[in-house]
Amino acid sequence: MPQTEVKKDTVKVKNQQAVTQPASPWKDAWRNFKKNKIAVTGTIIVLIFTIMAIFAPWLTPYSHSSGQLVDRLQPPSSDHWLGTDDFGRDILSRIIHGARISLTGGFAAVFGSIIVGSLLGVIAAYYGRWVDTLISRIFDVLLAFPSILLAIAIVTILEPTLQNALIAIAIINVPNFGRLIRSRVLSVKEEEFITAARAVGMNDRRILFKHIIPNSITPVVVQGTLAIATAIIEIAALSFLGLGTQPPKVDWGMMLSESQQYIVSAPWTMIFPGLAIMLTVLGFNLMGDGLRDALDPKMKS
């Protein structure tokens, strides 16, 4: 047989294998995500603020905690691109350093609520009966309170610190993730492959961690991305009220609180921290919507 025919047969076999082998769900989701220009734009915004937070000490032109009183309330200029505040501190430097607390705080609070909420939701859905009733009632009690008021109450009881603010934000988000994954697990545990796993004698822990949780985690990933945006707003709100970040640390909510009395005489002191919050939240929301469209099979054409 000629070599050209052998090569053609080899190429044909490889093409047939490529067609018969299903694509990885995550690769397929990534391919769909890249096609969504709005989601990519949101991801770029998030990456820009993330890079700012990581490299803040090297990106800031001035100190974020000290300034010159002779430079107080200076409008944007070539020396201070975003102007200065009432203590002469460079607003750009403070926004860059504020990104550290806002982003790390948002990630930390949401990660904690995902772990606790998902664990409770999985236990409630898998074991059912009184366990499900007890955990569901706990979720209902937490959801009965307005989230920001519950966070304020928790921080007030503990102590007004950033750490306690993050704990409060994690607590108020636990029911959202718990109920989300509970509904997913209730559906997955009735599938035939779970019945087969029980039939071969697989124990509960292995069924949960090998089959149920991996098949239930997708909506949690999407909701977690959107929840980070909400957590950033909640951190800013608590700091604005003096219940979150404390000096000499800085975050965007604290900057808004310190500059509210200068909204007329020096509006840039409030405009730029507000824009930082708005753009970051917008970025996470756009990215979360893109992830939902890419990971949810019902959203695919």
Side-chain angles (χ1 to χ4, degrees):
M1 182 181 293
Q3 291 184 354
T4 55
E5 294 183 7
V6 173
K7 290 182 179 179
K8 289 181 180 179
D9 292 339
T10 304
V11 172
K12 186 182 293 184
V13 170
K14 289 183 178 180
N15 291 335
Q16 290 177 349
Q17 290 177 349
V19 172
T20 56
Q21 290 179 353
S24 168
W26 292 103
K27 289 183 179 179
D28 190 29
W30 172 242
R31 192 180 303 111
N32 291 328
F33 183 83
K34 289 191 297 183
K35 295 178 182 178
N36 191 332
K37 294 182 179 180
I38 295 178
V40 172
T41 301
T43 305
I44 292 173
I45 294 173
V46 171
L47 286 175
I48 290 173
F49 279 97
T50 302
I51 292 172
M52 285 170 49
I54 294 173
F55 298 102
W58 297 276
L59 294 177
T60 50
Y62 301 93
S63 171
H64 71 283
S65 58
S66 61
Q68 300 293 329
L69 288 177
V70 293
D71 294 329
R72 68 187 303 268
L73 299 178
Q74 292 292 317
S77 63
S78 57
D79 293 329
H80 301 279
W81 290 359
L82 302 185
T84 60
D85 63 6
D86 55 324
F87 287 99
R89 296 171 297 194
D90 184 67
I91 292 177
L92 175 60
S93 300
R94 289 175 66 76
I95 287 177
I96 293 175
H97 274 274
R100 279 191 155 185
I101 290 180
S102 297
L103 289 179
T104 55
F107 278 107
V110 171
F111 181 77
S113 59
I114 287 176
I115 296 299
V116 177
S118 298
L119 180 61
L120 293 175
V122 169
I123 293 173
Y126 187 77
Y127 291 103
R129 297 182 180 181
W130 67 269
V131 177
D132 186 15
T133 302
L134 177 62
I135 295 176
S136 296
R137 295 298 77 78
I138 293 174
F139 290 162
D140 291 340
V141 170
L142 291 175
L143 290 171
F145 296 93
S147 58
I148 191 63
L149 293 181
L150 181 58
I152 291 172
I154 294 172
V155 175
T156 304
I157 292 172
L158 297 177
E159 188 183 356
T161 64
L162 176 61
Q163 182 179 357
N164 291 335
L166 298 183
I167 293 173
I169 293 171
I171 290 173
I172 64 177
N173 282 292
V174 163
N176 298 325
F177 291 102
R179 297 182 71 176
L180 178 64
I181 200 167
R182 174 183 174 275
S183 63
R184 180 62 181 164
V185 172
L186 285 173
S187 174
V188 172
K189 78 172 187 177
E190 301 299 330
E191 298 287 342
E192 293 181 357
F193 66 91
I194 300 298
T195 305
R198 292 197 187 100
V200 299
M202 190 176 293
N203 59 43
D204 289 345
R205 186 177 67 177
R206 192 173 179 187
I207 291 174
L208 285 172
F209 287 97
K210 189 174 181 179
H211 296 293
I212 291 182
I213 293 179
N215 286 283
S216 306
I217 203 68
T218 299
V220 176
V221 173
V222 176
Q223 182 62 30
T225 306
L226 298 172
I228 292 174
T230 305
I232 290 173
I233 295 176
E234 290 165 345
I235 292 171
L238 292 175
S239 295
F240 183 85
L241 297 173
L243 300 174
T245 306
Q246 303 297 323
K249 295 181 179 179
V250 60
D251 79 347
W252 298 330
M254 178 192 293
M255 293 179 66
L256 290 175
S257 177
E258 293 174 345
S259 59
Q260 57 182 321
Q261 58 184 316
Y262 304 106
I263 189 172
V264 176
S265 59
W268 58 86
T269 58
M270 288 197 72
I271 290 175
F272 293 119
L275 282 175
I277 296 173
M278 185 199 73
L279 288 175
T280 307
V281 171
L282 176 65
F284 277 107
N285 283 335
L286 295 179
M287 187 171 68
D289 288 340
L291 284 174
R292 181 197 59 197
D293 296 345
L295 294 174
D296 189 353
K298 297 179 182 178
M299 303 297 295
K300 297 177 183 177
S301 57

